[in-house]
Amino acid sequence: MYVPVTWYFLLFVISSWLAFLWLLQQQHMPETSFSAIFSLLLLVAFASLTILVSFAFLTVLLSFIVFTLKKRRNKVECRIDTPAENVKHPARQLVHVYIAPVLKPILGFIKLRLIYDDNQYSNKFTLVPQKGQKNNIAVLEGVYEWPLPQIREYNVAKVMVYFEDFLQFFSFTFTLPCNSRFYIRPQVEKTAEIKAAPRKTEETNQRIEELKKVEGEHLHYKNFEAHDDVRRIVWKIYARNRELVVRTPEIQDPYASHLCLFASFHTGFDITNNEVIHFPFQDYFKTAVWNTYLQLVKQGFEVEYIADQQVVAPALTDVKQAVQYSITASHWQTDKDLHTYIKPKDAAVVVISSLNSYDEVARLVEQHGNDITFVFVQLSKSIRGAYASQWLQWLFVSQEANSYEVYKSRWRFSRLRSRILANEKKIKHLLAQYEKPVVR
């Protein structure tokens, strides 16, 4: 059963009653006029407090009853908008809320709480009026900077409206359905220069400086036959699989119109219930992919982003926004590995992470390392090592529940830590043998 009183009210009642009893016992001259006057003053004070509290209760009760009646008659309008522009802090979302009609309690407050993503609750907050906004006593309107550090899509289903008095002793709650979807965007950062050239030809009106390899060396192989040149045998593949294969003759194409960007969210590790990988690692990878895309666009290329998973995107006319949403809504997956996902014939830039299987990366890099630019994102860099001062802070200072600081200790003791670090080291060493790869 919901009780519309706060802890402040309970503490006030208990402390007031104890203070009243203590003051009654402080009468040094009982059965005198002073004692009678002192008792009368106590009664007046008690009555005044009772009237003040009753007034506070009635004001909030009246506002709640009026709002309830309006809602039953379907006269209440509730809207939630998320402006496209974000606030200065990248891990916050600006939320605009409009509720009308609503009768605000006299000298009181109306606070809100958002219910989102399978009954998760935001903190209770008060709306901040925008500049130039007209003051209307029958309308509740304003903005809220919602701290949401994770880069993903959020779905708000309901709004809880709290009617509170000026003493904050009473709080009546009403829940309104109010659907809204938005997503936290990756942060724009400075990145290392990426050297890449278009390799996909859809139009022949754009000529490239470096001839594009359409068929042949580093792109296609075939089994060795008697008439083949032994100099074309790929000895690395023979040493690994004991199969004789040769590179087929290549054709050089001076035209290319699109630069295809591939970003693999595939993981070769069991990451079930691993919050470090699902939160800071995933956000770090999304940020790296988005900044890679932005850098390629700034270089003047017509970039085509090829996602490795289906994302139900809203109707977005701007190509950049569509790519940004696709990256934001993506997540680690185990269905489509590098071999299934990457199209070497078209791929110009491939972004891989510490979770990709080394064997799959090695197979792809050995065949196409001189043609494709590989961007390797070292996920362990998203959580820096802790020094002595950080250890002391971890021991004695309580971190916020949504702060990435809480993941540092979990990463130190993670059972996957040693395996992922070893995988990073092997991939980094492999890419160091080629000119084009970029390691972040």
Side-chain angles (χ1 to χ4, degrees):
M1 182 180 179
Y2 176 74
V3 180
V5 296
T6 65
W7 289 104
Y8 297 115
F9 176 74
L10 297 178
L11 292 174
F12 171 77
V13 171
I14 295 173
S15 59
S16 298
W17 181 250
L18 292 177
F20 181 74
L21 294 178
W22 180 77
L23 289 173
L24 285 179
Q25 296 175 0
Q26 302 306 311
Q27 302 182 36
H28 300 289
M29 295 177 289
E31 298 181 359
T32 62
S33 60
F34 174 81
S35 177
I37 294 174
F38 186 76
S39 299
L40 181 61
L41 290 175
L42 287 180
L43 289 174
V44 171
F46 182 77
S48 300
L49 289 176
T50 302
I51 293 173
L52 183 65
V53 173
S54 299
F55 175 76
F57 175 76
L58 292 175
T59 58
V60 70
L61 179 62
L62 177 63
S63 298
F64 177 74
I65 292 176
V66 171
F67 187 79
T68 303
L69 293 176
K70 293 286 186 181
K71 183 64 179 69
R72 288 182 178 178
R73 296 172 183 173
N74 295 324
K75 293 184 178 181
V76 176
E77 181 183 2
C78 178
R79 296 198 309 264
I80 295 181
D81 300 318
T82 51
E85 69 275 7
N86 218 348
V87 291
K88 293 181 179 180
H89 197 291
R92 292 176 181 268
Q93 173 64 46
L94 196 65
V95 180
H96 176 265
V97 182
Y98 174 90
I99 301 176
V102 57
L103 178 62
K104 302 176 183 178
I106 301 176
L107 303 177
F109 312 93
I110 294 183
K111 296 182 179 180
L112 304 175
R113 189 192 298 270
L114 302 178
I115 304 177
Y116 66 100
D117 293 351
D118 299 327
N119 292 326
Q120 296 189 51
Y121 293 80
S122 70
N123 295 327
K124 190 186 293 187
F125 60 90
T126 303
L127 293 177
V128 179
Q130 292 180 297
K131 291 183 179 180
Q133 178 179 313
K134 295 181 180 180
N135 188 16
N136 191 335
I137 60 174
V139 175
L140 179 66
E141 185 178 9
V143 295
Y144 167 58
E145 286 189 14
W146 192 359
L148 292 169
Q150 192 177 357
I151 301 173
R152 65 178 180 88
E153 186 180 34
Y154 294 84
N155 184 13
V156 178
K158 299 177 182 178
V159 178
M160 296 183 69
V161 184
Y162 294 85
F163 295 87
E164 299 183 354
D165 63 288
F166 58 92
L167 298 175
Q168 296 191 16
F169 286 168
F170 307 99
S171 178
F172 288 87
T173 307
F174 198 99
T175 303
L176 291 173
C178 199
N179 295 322
S180 177
R181 295 176 64 180
F182 61 91
Y183 60 96
I184 296 296
R185 299 160 178 80
Q187 187 178 0
V188 178
E189 298 177 345
K190 293 183 178 180
T191 57
E193 183 181 359
I194 299 175
K195 295 181 179 179
R199 302 184 68 241
K200 183 178 180 181
T201 303
E202 292 186 0
E203 301 173 357
T204 58
N205 57 2
Q206 181 177 350
R207 191 178 181 92
I208 56 177
E209 296 180 359
E210 181 182 354
L211 294 181
K212 176 173 64 74
K213 296 174 182 177
V214 177
E215 299 286 345
E217 192 170 0
H218 307 297
L219 289 180
H220 291 284
Y221 297 87
K222 69 181 187 70
N223 292 328
F224 178 78
E225 297 177 1
H227 62 275
D228 289 328
D229 189 347
V230 293
R231 291 175 297 179
R232 289 190 173 273
I233 296 177
V234 184
W235 295 110
K236 289 183 179 179
I237 297 179
Y238 175 77
R240 185 169 60 244
N241 301 328
R242 295 297 176 184
E243 295 180 2
L244 284 174
V245 295
V246 294
R247 300 184 179 95
T248 57
E250 62 193 27
I251 303 172
Q252 303 289 356
D253 187 358
Y255 296 98
S257 59
H258 286 70
L259 189 152
C260 291
L261 170 64
F262 291 76
S264 174
F265 282 81
H266 182 263
T267 171
F269 299 87
D270 182 9
I271 60 174
T272 306
N273 299 325
N274 193 313
E275 293 185 351
V276 178
I277 294 177
H278 283 291
F279 297 151
F281 278 16
Q282 186 169 262
D283 288 354
Y284 186 73
F285 185 70
K286 289 179 180 179
T287 302
V289 175
W290 173 239
N291 283 276
T292 300
Y293 173 82
L294 289 180
Q295 185 181 145
L296 296 174
V297 171
K298 287 180 180 178
Q299 292 179 17
F301 296 122
E302 186 173 348
V303 183
E304 182 180 354
Y305 175 71
I306 311 297
D308 68 346
Q309 53 199 273
Q310 280 191 336
V311 176
V312 182
L316 298 173
T317 56
D318 185 72
V319 177
K320 270 190 179 181
Q321 289 185 3
V323 172
Q324 187 182 62
Y325 179 85
S326 179
I327 296 172
T328 300
S330 297
H331 52 80
W332 300 125
Q333 51 88 14
T334 57
D335 298 330
K336 189 177 291 187
D337 57 15
L338 288 176
H339 177 71
T340 308
Y341 169 48
I342 305 299
K343 297 179 180 178
K345 179 181 176 181
D346 300 331
V349 178
V350 174
V351 186
I352 57 177
S353 75
S354 309
L355 300 182
N356 286 113
S357 168
Y358 170 77
D359 293 334
E360 292 182 7
V361 174
R363 189 180 304 113
L364 186 63
V365 172
E366 287 175 1
Q367 296 179 9
H368 312 286
N370 292 324
D371 302 310
I372 300 175
T373 299
F374 289 89
V375 178
F376 176 46
V377 182
Q378 300 179 86
L379 300 179
S380 62
K381 283 190 174 182
S382 63
I383 299 181
R384 304 296 181 181
Y387 301 98
S389 60
Q390 292 175 317
W391 274 97
L392 292 175
Q393 185 182 22
W394 175 67
L395 290 172
F396 298 108
V397 179
S398 176
Q399 303 290 346
E400 294 182 10
N402 62 352
S403 171
Y404 277 12
E405 294 295 325
V406 301
Y407 297 116
K408 285 186 176 180
S409 58
R410 298 178 187 179
W411 172 240
R412 295 187 200 106
F413 303 110
S414 173
R415 59 183 178 83
L416 291 177
R417 184 173 183 269
S418 58
R419 293 173 56 194
I420 291 177
L421 291 177
N423 193 53
E424 281 186 354
K425 187 176 181 180
K426 291 167 63 178
I427 295 177
K428 188 176 180 180
H429 178 73
L430 172 68
L431 296 178
Q433 304 173 28
Y434 298 85
E435 296 181 1
K436 285 189 174 183
V438 178
V439 179
R440 296 194 187 280

